[in-house]
Every structure is written in C-alpha cells, then in structure tokens.
Coordinates of all heavy atoms in Angstrom, one line a residue:
A3 N 118.2 10.2 135.3 CA 118.1 11.6 135.2 C 118.6 12.3 136.6 O 119.0 13.4 136.6 CB 116.8 12.2 134.7
D4 N 118.3 11.6 137.6 CA 118.6 12.1 138.9 C 119.2 11.1 139.8 O 118.5 10.5 140.7 CB 117.3 12.7 139.6 CG 117.6 13.5 140.9 OD1 118.7 13.5 141.4 OD2 116.6 14.1 141.4
P5 N 120.5 10.8 139.8 CA 121.1 9.7 140.5 C 121.1 9.9 142.1 O 120.9 9.0 142.7 CB 122.6 9.8 140.1 CG 122.7 10.4 138.8 CD 121.4 11.4 138.8
A6 N 120.9 11.1 142.5 CA 120.8 11.5 144.0 C 119.5 10.9 144.5 O 119.5 10.6 145.6 CB 121.0 12.9 144.2
L7 N 118.5 10.9 143.7 CA 117.2 10.4 144.2 C 117.3 9.0 144.6 O 116.7 8.5 145.5 CB 116.2 10.6 143.1 CG 114.8 10.2 143.4 CD1 114.2 11.0 144.5 CD2 113.8 10.3 142.2
Y8 N 118.2 8.1 143.8 CA 118.3 6.7 144.2 C 119.3 6.6 145.2 O 119.3 5.7 146.1 CB 118.7 6.0 142.9 CG 117.5 5.6 142.1 CD1 117.1 6.4 141.0 CD2 116.7 4.5 142.4 CE1 115.9 6.1 140.3 CE2 115.6 4.1 141.6 CZ 115.2 5.0 140.5 OH 114.2 4.7 139.9
A9 N 120.4 7.4 145.2 CA 121.5 7.2 146.1 C 121.1 7.8 147.5 O 121.5 7.1 148.5 CB 122.8 8.1 145.6
D10 N 120.4 8.8 147.6 CA 120.1 9.4 148.9 C 118.5 9.5 149.3 O 118.2 9.8 150.3 CB 120.6 10.9 148.9 CG 122.0 11.0 148.7 OD1 122.8 10.2 149.1 OD2 122.4 12.0 148.0
G11 N 117.7 9.0 148.3 CA 116.3 9.0 148.6 C 115.8 8.0 149.4 O 116.4 6.9 149.5
D12 N 114.7 8.3 150.1 CA 114.0 7.2 150.9 C 113.4 6.2 149.9 O 112.7 6.6 148.9 CB 113.0 7.8 151.8 CG 113.6 8.8 152.9 OD1 114.6 8.4 153.3 OD2 112.9 9.7 153.2
Y13 N 113.4 5.0 150.4 CA 112.7 3.9 149.7 C 111.4 3.4 150.4 O 111.4 3.2 151.5 CB 113.7 2.7 149.5 CG 113.0 1.5 149.0 CD1 112.9 1.2 147.6 CD2 112.4 0.5 149.8 CE1 112.2 0.0 147.2 CE2 111.9 -0.6 149.4 CZ 111.7 -0.9 148.1 OH 111.0 -2.0 147.6
A14 N 110.4 3.3 149.6 CA 109.0 2.9 150.2 C 108.4 1.9 149.3 O 108.0 2.3 148.3 CB 108.2 4.0 150.6
P15 N 108.3 0.6 149.6 CA 107.5 -0.3 148.9 C 106.0 0.1 148.8 O 105.5 0.6 149.8 CB 107.6 -1.7 149.6 CG 108.0 -1.3 151.0 CD 108.6 0.1 151.0
L16 N 105.5 -0.1 147.6 CA 104.1 0.2 147.4 C 103.4 -1.2 147.2 O 103.6 -1.9 146.3 CB 103.8 1.1 146.2 CG 104.5 2.5 146.3 CD1 104.3 3.2 145.1 CD2 103.9 3.2 147.5
A17 N 102.5 -1.6 148.0 CA 101.8 -2.8 148.0 C 100.5 -2.7 147.2 O 99.5 -2.0 147.5 CB 101.4 -3.4 149.4
A18 N 100.4 -3.5 146.0 CA 99.2 -3.5 145.3 C 98.1 -4.4 146.0 O 98.4 -5.2 146.9 CB 99.5 -4.2 143.9
S19 N 96.8 -4.1 145.7 CA 95.7 -4.8 146.1 C 94.8 -5.2 144.9 O 94.9 -4.5 143.9 CB 95.0 -4.1 147.1 OG 94.4 -2.9 146.6
G20 N 94.1 -6.3 145.2 CA 93.2 -6.7 144.1 C 93.6 -8.1 143.5 O 94.6 -8.6 143.9
G21 N 92.9 -8.5 142.5 CA 93.0 -9.8 142.0 C 94.3 -10.1 141.3 O 94.8 -11.2 141.3
K22 N 95.1 -9.1 140.8 CA 96.4 -9.3 140.2 C 97.5 -8.7 140.9 O 98.7 -8.4 140.4 CB 96.3 -8.8 138.7 CG 95.2 -9.4 137.8 CD 95.8 -10.6 137.2 CE 94.8 -11.3 136.3 NZ 93.6 -10.7 135.7
A23 N 97.3 -8.4 142.2 CA 98.3 -7.8 143.1 C 99.7 -8.5 143.1 O 100.7 -7.9 143.1 CB 97.8 -7.7 144.5
R24 N 99.7 -9.8 142.9 CA 100.9 -10.6 143.0 C 101.7 -10.4 141.7 O 102.8 -10.7 141.6 CB 100.7 -12.0 143.3 CG 100.1 -12.8 142.1 CD 99.9 -14.2 142.4 NE 99.6 -15.1 141.4 CZ 100.5 -15.8 140.6 NH1 101.9 -15.7 141.0 NH2 100.2 -16.5 139.5
H25 N 101.1 -9.8 140.7 CA 101.7 -9.5 139.4 C 102.3 -8.0 139.3 O 102.6 -7.6 138.2 CB 100.7 -9.7 138.3 CG 100.4 -11.1 138.2 ND1 101.2 -12.1 137.6 CD2 99.2 -11.8 138.5 CE1 100.6 -13.3 137.6 NE2 99.4 -13.1 138.2
V26 N 102.4 -7.4 140.4 CA 102.9 -6.0 140.4 C 103.9 -5.9 141.4 O 103.8 -6.3 142.6 CB 101.7 -5.0 140.8 CG1 102.2 -3.6 140.8 CG2 100.5 -5.2 139.9
A27 N 105.0 -5.2 140.9 CA 106.2 -4.8 141.8 C 106.2 -3.2 141.8 O 106.3 -2.6 140.7 CB 107.5 -5.4 141.4
A28 N 106.2 -2.6 142.9 CA 106.1 -1.2 142.9 C 106.8 -0.6 144.1 O 106.8 -1.2 145.1 CB 104.7 -0.6 142.8
F29 N 107.4 0.6 143.8 CA 108.1 1.3 145.1 C 108.1 2.8 144.7 O 108.0 3.2 143.5 CB 109.4 0.8 145.3 CG 110.4 1.0 144.2 CD1 111.3 2.1 144.2 CD2 110.7 -0.1 143.2 CE1 112.2 2.3 143.2 CE2 111.5 0.1 142.3 CZ 112.3 1.3 142.2
A30 N 108.3 3.6 145.7 CA 108.5 5.0 145.6 C 109.9 5.4 146.1 O 110.4 4.8 147.1 CB 107.5 5.8 146.3
R31 N 110.6 6.4 145.5 CA 111.8 7.0 146.0 C 111.5 8.4 146.2 O 110.9 9.1 145.4 CB 112.9 6.9 144.9 CG 113.5 5.5 144.8 CD 114.4 5.3 146.0 NE 115.2 4.1 145.7 CZ 116.2 3.8 146.6 NH1 116.4 4.5 147.6 NH2 116.8 2.6 146.3
R32 N 111.8 8.9 147.5 CA 111.5 10.3 147.8 C 112.8 10.9 148.3 O 113.6 10.4 149.1 CB 110.5 10.3 148.9 CG 109.1 9.9 148.5 CD 108.1 10.1 149.7 NE 106.9 9.5 149.3 CZ 106.4 8.2 149.6 NH1 107.2 7.5 150.3 NH2 105.2 7.8 149.2
R33 N 113.0 12.1 147.8 CA 114.2 13.0 148.2 C 113.7 14.5 148.2 O 113.4 15.0 147.2 CB 115.3 12.8 147.4 CG 116.5 13.5 147.8 CD 117.7 13.2 146.9 NE 118.9 14.0 147.4 CZ 119.4 15.0 146.7 NH1 118.8 15.5 145.6 NH2 120.4 15.6 147.2
G34 N 113.5 15.0 149.3 CA 112.9 16.4 149.4 C 111.6 16.4 148.9 O 110.7 15.6 149.1
A35 N 111.3 17.4 147.9 CA 109.9 17.5 147.4 C 109.8 16.6 146.1 O 108.7 16.5 145.6 CB 109.7 18.9 147.0
Q36 N 110.8 15.8 145.8 CA 110.7 15.0 144.6 C 110.4 13.6 144.9 O 111.0 13.0 145.8 CB 112.0 15.0 143.9 CG 112.0 14.4 142.5 CD 113.3 14.6 141.8 OE1 114.4 14.9 142.3 NE2 113.3 14.2 140.4
T37 N 109.4 13.0 144.2 CA 109.1 11.6 144.3 C 109.0 10.9 143.0 O 108.5 11.4 142.0 CB 107.6 11.5 145.0 OG1 107.8 12.2 146.2 CG2 107.3 10.1 145.2
L38 N 109.5 9.7 142.9 CA 109.5 8.9 141.7 C 108.8 7.6 142.1 O 109.2 7.0 143.1 CB 110.9 8.6 141.1 CG 110.9 7.6 140.1 CD1 110.5 8.3 138.7 CD2 112.3 7.2 139.7
I39 N 107.8 7.1 141.3 CA 107.1 5.9 141.6 C 107.5 4.9 140.5 O 107.4 5.3 139.2 CB 105.6 6.1 141.7 CG1 105.3 6.8 142.9 CG2 104.9 4.7 141.8 CD1 103.8 7.2 143.1
V40 N 108.0 3.8 140.8 CA 108.1 2.8 139.7 C 107.2 1.7 140.0 O 107.1 1.0 141.1 CB 109.7 2.2 139.9 CG1 109.9 1.1 138.9 CG2 110.7 3.4 139.8
A41 N 106.5 1.3 138.8 CA 105.5 0.1 139.0 C 105.7 -0.7 137.7 O 105.7 -0.1 136.6 CB 104.2 0.7 139.0
V42 N 106.0 -1.9 137.8 CA 106.2 -2.9 136.8 C 105.4 -4.2 137.0 O 105.2 -4.6 138.1 CB 107.7 -3.2 136.5 CG1 108.5 -2.0 136.2 CG2 108.3 -3.9 137.8
P43 N 105.0 -4.8 135.8 CA 104.4 -6.1 135.9 C 105.5 -7.2 136.3 O 106.6 -7.0 135.9 CB 103.8 -6.4 134.5 CG 104.6 -5.4 133.7 CD 105.1 -4.3 134.4
R44 N 105.0 -8.2 137.0 CA 105.9 -9.2 137.3 C 105.2 -10.6 137.0 O 103.9 -10.6 137.1 CB 106.5 -9.3 138.8 CG 105.5 -9.4 139.8 CD 106.0 -9.3 141.2 NE 106.8 -10.5 141.5 CZ 106.3 -11.6 142.1 NH1 105.0 -11.8 142.3 NH2 107.1 -12.6 142.4
L45 N 105.9 -11.6 136.7 CA 105.3 -12.9 136.3 C 104.1 -12.6 135.3 O 103.0 -13.1 135.5 CB 104.7 -13.5 137.6 CG 105.7 -13.8 138.7 CD1 105.1 -14.3 139.9 CD2 106.8 -14.7 138.3
A46 N 104.4 -11.8 134.2 CA 103.4 -11.3 133.4 C 103.1 -12.3 132.3 O 102.1 -12.0 131.6 CB 103.8 -10.0 132.8
D47 N 103.8 -13.3 132.1 CA 103.5 -14.3 130.9 C 102.1 -14.8 131.2 O 101.7 -15.4 132.2 CB 104.4 -15.4 131.0 CG 104.3 -16.2 129.7 OD1 104.1 -15.8 128.7 OD2 104.6 -17.5 129.9
G48 N 101.3 -14.7 130.2 CA 100.0 -15.2 130.2 C 98.9 -14.1 130.7 O 97.7 -14.5 130.7
L49 N 99.3 -13.0 131.2 CA 98.3 -12.0 131.7 C 97.7 -11.4 130.5 O 96.4 -11.2 130.6 CB 99.0 -10.9 132.4 CG 99.3 -11.2 133.9 CD1 100.1 -10.1 134.6 CD2 98.1 -11.6 134.6
G50 N 98.4 -11.0 129.4 CA 97.8 -10.3 128.2 C 97.2 -11.4 127.3 O 97.8 -12.6 127.3
P51 N 96.3 -11.1 126.5 CA 95.7 -12.0 125.6 C 96.7 -12.4 124.5 O 97.4 -11.5 123.9 CB 94.5 -11.2 125.0 CG 94.7 -9.9 125.2 CD 95.6 -9.8 126.5
D52 N 96.8 -13.6 124.2 CA 97.7 -14.1 123.2 C 99.1 -13.6 123.2 O 99.7 -13.2 122.3 CB 97.1 -13.8 121.8 CG 95.8 -14.4 121.6 OD1 95.6 -15.6 122.0 OD2 94.9 -13.8 121.0
G53 N 99.6 -13.4 124.5 CA 101.1 -13.1 124.7 C 101.3 -11.6 124.6 O 102.4 -11.1 124.6
A54 N 100.2 -10.8 124.5 CA 100.3 -9.3 124.4 C 100.7 -8.8 125.7 O 100.6 -9.4 126.8 CB 99.0 -8.7 123.9
L55 N 101.2 -7.5 125.7 CA 101.6 -6.8 126.9 C 100.4 -6.8 127.8 O 99.2 -6.5 127.3 CB 102.1 -5.4 126.6 CG 103.5 -5.4 125.8 CD1 103.8 -3.9 125.5 CD2 104.6 -6.1 126.6
P56 N 100.6 -6.9 129.1 CA 99.4 -6.7 130.0 C 99.1 -5.2 130.3 O 99.6 -4.6 131.2 CB 100.0 -7.4 131.3 CG 101.5 -7.2 131.3 CD 101.8 -7.2 129.8
L57 N 98.2 -4.7 129.5 CA 97.8 -3.4 129.5 C 96.3 -3.2 129.7 O 95.5 -4.2 129.4 CB 98.2 -2.6 128.1 CG 99.6 -2.7 127.8 CD1 99.7 -2.0 126.4 CD2 100.5 -1.9 128.7
G58 N 95.9 -2.1 130.3 CA 94.5 -1.8 130.5 C 93.7 -2.8 131.4 O 94.1 -3.1 132.5
E59 N 92.6 -3.3 130.9 CA 91.6 -4.0 131.6 C 92.1 -5.4 132.2 O 91.4 -5.9 133.0 CB 90.3 -4.1 130.8 CG 89.6 -2.8 130.6 CD 89.3 -2.1 131.9 OE1 88.8 -2.7 132.9 OE2 89.6 -0.9 132.0
V60 N 93.2 -5.8 131.7 CA 93.7 -7.0 132.2 C 94.0 -7.0 133.6 O 93.9 -8.1 134.4 CB 95.0 -7.5 131.4 CG1 96.2 -6.6 131.7 CG2 95.4 -8.9 131.7
W61 N 94.2 -5.8 134.2 CA 94.4 -5.6 135.6 C 93.2 -5.6 136.5 O 93.3 -5.6 137.7 CB 95.2 -4.3 135.8 CG 96.6 -4.4 135.2 CD1 97.0 -3.9 134.0 CD2 97.7 -5.2 135.6 NE1 98.3 -4.3 133.7 CE2 98.7 -5.1 134.7 CE3 97.9 -6.1 136.7 CZ2 99.9 -5.7 134.8 CZ3 99.1 -6.7 136.9 CH2 100.1 -6.5 135.9
E62 N 92.1 -5.7 135.9 CA 90.8 -5.8 136.6 C 90.7 -4.8 137.8 O 90.9 -3.5 137.5 CB 90.5 -7.2 137.0 CG 90.5 -8.2 135.9 CD 90.5 -9.6 136.4 OE1 90.9 -9.9 137.6 OE2 90.3 -10.5 135.4
D63 N 90.6 -5.3 139.0 CA 90.4 -4.5 140.2 C 91.7 -4.2 140.9 O 91.7 -3.6 142.1 CB 89.4 -5.1 141.1 CG 90.0 -6.4 141.7 OD1 90.9 -7.0 141.1 OD2 89.4 -6.9 142.7
T64 N 92.9 -4.4 140.3 CA 94.1 -4.3 141.0 C 94.4 -2.8 141.1 O 94.4 -2.0 140.1 CB 95.2 -5.0 140.2 OG1 94.8 -6.3 140.1 CG2 96.5 -5.0 140.9
E65 N 94.9 -2.3 142.2 CA 95.2 -1.0 142.6 C 96.5 -0.7 143.3 O 97.0 -1.7 143.9 CB 94.1 -0.3 143.3 CG 92.8 -0.3 142.7 CD 91.7 0.3 143.8 OE1 91.8 0.0 144.9 OE2 90.8 1.0 143.2
L66 N 97.1 0.4 143.1 CA 98.3 0.8 143.9 C 98.0 2.1 144.6 O 97.2 2.9 144.3 CB 99.4 1.1 142.9 CG 100.2 0.0 142.3 CD1 101.2 0.5 141.3 CD2 101.0 -0.6 143.5
P67 N 98.6 2.2 145.9 CA 98.4 3.4 146.7 C 99.4 4.5 146.1 O 100.6 4.4 146.2 CB 98.9 3.1 148.1 CG 99.9 1.9 147.8 CD 99.4 1.2 146.6
I68 N 98.9 5.4 145.4 CA 99.6 6.5 144.8 C 99.3 7.8 145.6 O 98.2 8.2 145.6 CB 99.2 6.7 143.3 CG1 99.4 5.5 142.5 CG2 100.1 7.8 142.7 CD1 100.9 5.0 142.4
P69 N 100.3 8.4 146.1 CA 100.0 9.7 146.8 C 99.3 10.7 145.9 O 99.5 10.8 144.7 CB 101.5 10.2 147.1 CG 102.3 9.0 147.1 CD 101.8 8.1 146.1
E70 N 98.6 11.5 146.6 CA 97.7 12.6 145.9 C 98.7 13.5 145.2 O 99.7 13.9 145.6 CB 96.9 13.4 146.9 CG 96.0 14.3 146.3 CD 95.0 14.9 147.4 OE1 94.6 14.3 148.3 OE2 94.7 16.1 147.1
G71 N 98.3 13.8 144.0 CA 99.0 14.8 143.1 C 98.9 14.5 141.7 O 98.1 13.7 141.3
T72 N 99.6 15.3 140.9 CA 99.6 15.1 139.4 C 101.0 14.4 139.1 O 102.0 14.9 139.4 CB 99.5 16.5 138.7 OG1 98.2 17.0 139.2 CG2 99.5 16.2 137.2
W73 N 100.9 13.3 138.4 CA 102.1 12.5 138.0 C 102.2 12.4 136.6 O 101.2 12.4 135.8 CB 101.9 11.0 138.6 CG 101.7 11.0 140.1 CD1 100.6 11.2 140.8 CD2 102.7 10.9 141.0 NE1 100.8 11.2 142.2 CE2 102.1 11.0 142.3 CE3 104.2 10.8 140.8 CZ2 103.0 10.9 143.4 CZ3 104.9 10.6 142.1 CH2 104.3 10.7 143.3
T74 N 103.5 12.3 136.1 CA 103.7 12.1 134.6 C 104.3 10.9 134.4 O 105.3 10.5 135.0 CB 104.6 13.2 134.2 OG1 104.1 14.5 134.4 CG2 104.9 13.1 132.7
D75 N 103.8 10.0 133.5 CA 104.3 8.8 133.1 C 105.6 9.1 132.2 O 105.4 9.6 131.1 CB 103.4 8.1 132.3 CG 103.8 6.6 131.8 OD1 105.0 6.5 131.5 OD2 102.9 5.7 131.7
I76 N 106.8 8.8 132.6 CA 107.9 9.1 132.0 C 108.2 8.3 130.6 O 108.9 8.7 129.8 CB 109.3 9.0 132.7 CG1 109.5 7.6 133.2 CG2 109.1 10.1 133.9 CD1 110.9 7.5 133.9
L77 N 107.4 7.3 130.4 CA 107.5 6.5 129.2 C 106.6 7.1 128.1 O 106.9 7.0 126.9 CB 107.2 5.1 129.5 CG 108.1 4.3 130.4 CD1 107.7 2.9 130.6 CD2 109.6 4.3 129.9
T78 N 105.5 7.5 128.5 CA 104.4 8.0 127.5 C 104.2 9.5 127.5 O 103.6 10.0 126.6 CB 103.1 7.2 127.7 OG1 102.5 7.8 129.0 CG2 103.2 5.8 127.7
G79 N 104.6 10.2 128.6 CA 104.2 11.6 128.7 C 102.8 11.8 129.2 O 102.4 13.0 129.4
R80 N 102.1 10.8 129.5 CA 100.7 10.9 130.0 C 100.7 11.5 131.3 O 101.4 11.1 132.2 CB 100.0 9.5 129.8 CG 98.6 9.5 130.2 CD 98.0 8.1 130.1 NE 96.7 8.1 130.8 CZ 96.4 7.1 131.6 NH1 97.3 6.0 131.8 NH2 95.3 7.1 132.3
T81 N 99.7 12.3 131.6 CA 99.5 12.9 133.0 C 98.3 12.1 133.7 O 97.4 11.7 133.1 CB 99.0 14.3 132.8 OG1 100.1 15.1 132.2 CG2 98.8 14.9 134.3
L82 N 98.6 11.8 135.0 CA 97.7 11.0 135.8 C 97.5 11.8 137.1 O 98.4 12.2 137.7 CB 98.2 9.6 136.1 CG 97.5 8.8 137.1 CD1 96.1 8.4 136.5 CD2 98.3 7.6 137.6
V83 N 96.2 12.1 137.3 CA 95.8 12.8 138.6 C 95.5 11.8 139.5 O 94.5 10.9 139.3 CB 94.7 13.8 138.5 CG1 94.4 14.4 139.8 CG2 95.2 14.9 137.4
A84 N 96.2 11.6 140.7 CA 95.9 10.4 141.6 C 95.7 10.9 143.0 O 96.1 12.1 143.3 CB 97.1 9.5 141.5
G85 N 95.2 10.1 143.8 CA 95.1 10.4 145.2 C 94.4 9.2 145.9 O 93.5 8.8 145.5
G86 N 95.2 8.6 146.8 CA 94.7 7.4 147.4 C 95.0 6.2 146.7 O 96.2 5.9 146.3
R87 N 94.1 5.4 146.1 CA 94.3 4.2 145.4 C 94.1 4.4 143.9 O 93.0 5.1 143.6 CB 93.5 3.0 146.0 CG 93.7 2.8 147.4 CD 93.6 1.4 147.9 NE 94.4 0.4 147.4 CZ 95.7 0.1 147.7 NH1 96.2 0.8 148.7 NH2 96.3 -0.9 147.1
T88 N 94.9 4.0 143.2 CA 94.8 4.3 141.6 C 94.8 2.9 140.9 O 95.7 2.0 141.2 CB 96.0 5.1 141.2 OG1 96.0 6.3 141.8 CG2 95.9 5.3 139.7
A89 N 94.0 2.7 139.9 CA 93.8 1.5 139.2 C 95.1 1.2 138.4 O 95.5 2.1 137.8 CB 92.7 1.5 138.3
C90 N 95.6 0.0 138.5 CA 96.8 -0.4 137.7 C 96.5 -0.3 136.2 O 97.3 -0.1 135.3 CB 97.3 -1.7 138.1 SG 98.0 -1.8 139.7
A91 N 95.2 -0.4 135.8 CA 94.8 -0.3 134.5 C 95.2 1.1 133.8 O 95.3 1.3 132.7 CB 93.3 -0.6 134.2
D92 N 95.2 2.1 134.8 CA 95.6 3.5 134.4 C 97.1 3.6 134.3 O 97.6 4.5 133.7 CB 95.1 4.5 135.4 CG 93.5 4.6 135.3 OD1 93.0 4.2 134.4 OD2 92.9 5.0 136.4

C-alpha cells in the first residue's frame, strides 16, 4: 500500500527474546511518522500442535520490542496497544 515506506524508509531489525526467539523474524520500516512492523514465524514446523499454525500460547515467554503506541494488525484488523516488550502470543 505504501511502496515509498520500503523504498525510502529506514530498516531496523527487531530481536525477539525468550524461549522461541530463534523462531521469529521481525523488522520495522520507518519513514517520517509512519512505521510498519513485520513479524513472522520462522522454522515453524513442529511449533504448533499436530502441525497447526503456531498461534497464541505456543510462543510461551517469547517477546518482541514494539515501540509504544497503538498498532493495527493488517491481517486481522485487531488493535494492539504496545510499549516496550510485547508477547509474541499477542
């Protein structure tokens, strides 16, 4: 929806912490006042029960550093209020 965010925006890797940190790839793109955070599971085979998607509690104590603010999940429309470290289960 905003090619300039990727073409001209700053890139910042986001390092997960916790027991499943190696299973998370995440980064932020910033351009002016706009920020987009991308977080995806990696090496996810076997994380979810019986081959299910790795959602919710499967992430245990794994967290991402999400800047303070109100964020919208573009896939679900869900709103997340974050600040500091945010649980990947969210």
Side-chain angles (χ1 to χ4, degrees):
D4 188 354
L7 183 62
Y8 280 91
D10 303 324
D12 295 328
Y13 169 86
L16 299 175
S19 63
K22 301 275 181 15
R24 72 181 196 95
H25 294 284
V26 179
F29 63 90
R31 284 285 191 173
R32 293 183 185 95
R33 183 173 179 258
Q36 188 174 15
T37 302
L38 173 74
I39 294 174
V40 176
V42 297
R44 67 181 287 275
L45 307 172
D47 188 37
L49 281 180
D52 298 322
L55 293 174
L57 301 173
E59 293 306 313
V60 70
W61 294 103
E62 300 169 349
D63 64 341
T64 307
E65 297 178 323
L66 276 174
I68 304 292
E70 187 171 324
T72 301
W73 299 88
T74 302
D75 181 328
I76 63 171
L77 298 177
T78 66
R80 181 175 164 228
T81 299
L82 174 68
V83 178
R87 303 210 59 87
T88 300
C90 289
D92 291 337

